Amino acid sequence: LEFRRVLFRSVGAAEGCLDADLWKALVESGMATVGLSEAAGGSGGSLQDAAAIAKAAGRHAAPVPLTELSLVGGWACEQAGLALPDGPVAVVLGDGARTYWAPVADAYVVVTDAGVAVVGKEQVSLGASGRNYAGEPWADVTVSGASFVAGPSVAQVRARGALGRSLLMAGALAQATEDRKSTRLNSSHV
């Protein structure tokens, strides 16, 4: 619990951008790759372990692409036999429209009907961009020169992405509920 408090102390400082210090702490502690096998370059652990970390990140509104690596992009790479990418990751699905974390990513896991590929910034062009309600940056992405290998389908990766989003939202809802209870208790003692 104390580690979690220390880890998320800087959350909010980035307001919609990548918190580089938090990302570094997650990577160095191995928390960014929990749920991915050690053989694939992850930290080991189960899907349940990765889910617990994702919920904690959501609870604290951590401005990092945690689930994009641990639950979605890293998983797609592991399934395709590709090395895990370094740095913050964005997962590009299909045509690349509205790819979350694309503006701050160092690597892109691309999943299309052709397969799975990992590309760097030099192979990506960013188009329209913005932020979602959680403040996460997004951009439309066009990829060139990717070498694809067989891997999970777009639908399978999209389902993992939905799981990741759901876990982040569950954590945020838990925090909001706790905050509301605290507010009600404090106001009843006034």
Side-chain angles (χ1 to χ4, degrees), residues 36-59:
L36 301 171
S37 73
E38 291 180 41
S43 300
S46 67
L47 177 59
Q48 290 79 9
D49 297 329
I53 294 168
K55 283 177 70 175
R59 183 178 195 97

Side-chain angles (χ1 to χ4, degrees), residues 16 27 41 43 54 71 75 84 114-115 123 125 127 138-139 148 158 166 185:
V27 170
S43 300
L71 292 171
W75 174 80
L84 294 182
Q123 292 173 274
S125 297
W138 63 266
F148 292 95
R158 187 168 279 130
S166 297
L185 286 174

Side-chain angles (χ1 to χ4, degrees), residues 2 15 22 66 91 94 107 113-114 124 132 134 136 141 144 168 174 186:
E2 184 58 32
E15 281 279 326
L22 178 57
L66 177 66
V91 180
D113 292 336
V124 169
N132 65 13
E136 298 167 335
V141 175
S144 60
L168 292 169
N186 290 336

Side-chain angles (χ1 to χ4, degrees), residues 90-93 95-103 108-109 137-141:
V91 180
V92 181
L93 294 177
D95 64 4
R98 196 156 290 206
T99 300
Y100 292 101
W101 296 104
Y108 301 80
V109 177
W138 63 266
D140 292 339
V141 175

